[in-house]
Amino acid sequence: MGRLGRGFKGGLRGADSGDVAHLRSWAETHEGVEAFVEPRTTVTATTMLLVDRDGAWTRRRISSPDGARKLARSLRMPVYDVQLVGYPQRMRDHDARQRILRERERRRDLNG
């Protein structure tokens, strides 16, 4: 047994069918979705980020950059290398709006 008794072997967890199923399902329920491939790092596997037209997003592990492109083609969406194009502004704007809404809700709960 490894770290914390969970059988950790020191490697990265790769993508599984649940990751791909999540990406497919998310893409089917959002409009204007684009895919962004994030490279493997020392602490994370290759990931695929999906961003819809409003900036909402989801991220899951994917087998490889080629696997991400293949999945994007099957979903008929554009796919970009995030190292070349960066993250879309609409995603950052969406996250900023969500932070403001969470803070308002927190203040409302405190003053409630």
Side-chain angles (χ1 to χ4, degrees), residues 11-27:
L12 300 177
R13 181 179 82 78
D16 61 29
S17 60
D19 294 320
V20 173
H22 171 81
L23 292 168
R24 282 187 180 282
S25 174
W26 197 90

Side-chain angles (χ1 to χ4, degrees), residues 6-106:
R6 294 188 196 148
F8 180 78
K9 296 179 183 169
L12 300 177
R13 181 179 82 78
D16 61 29
S17 60
D19 294 320
V20 173
H22 171 81
L23 292 168
R24 282 187 180 282
S25 174
W26 197 90
E28 291 169 359
T29 58
H30 290 79
E31 294 186 25
V33 178
E34 295 178 319
F36 295 84
V37 180
E38 299 173 308
R40 180 178 183 214
T41 68
T42 57
V43 294
T44 60
T46 302
T47 53
M48 186 172 182
L49 175 76
L50 300 182
V51 182
D52 74 9
R53 72 173 181 208
D54 296 323
W57 58 273
T58 191
R59 172 187 287 124
R60 290 292 185 275
R61 290 171 183 89
I62 196 78
S63 60
S64 67
D66 286 339
R69 286 188 283 278
K70 182 178 176 183
L71 178 59
R73 275 194 309 270
S74 76
L75 295 169
R76 292 183 169 82
M77 70 176 63
V79 61
Y80 307 101
D81 182 334
V82 79
Q83 289 182 300
L84 298 176
V85 301
Y87 294 98
Q89 184 63 46
R90 68 184 182 280
M91 179 183 156
R92 291 189 295 273
D93 294 344
H94 177 271
D95 287 352
R97 286 190 306 271
Q98 294 304 309
R99 275 191 299 276
I100 291 167
L101 293 173
R102 284 191 304 270
E103 180 61 21
R104 284 180 186 165
E105 184 67 27
R106 187 187 70 79

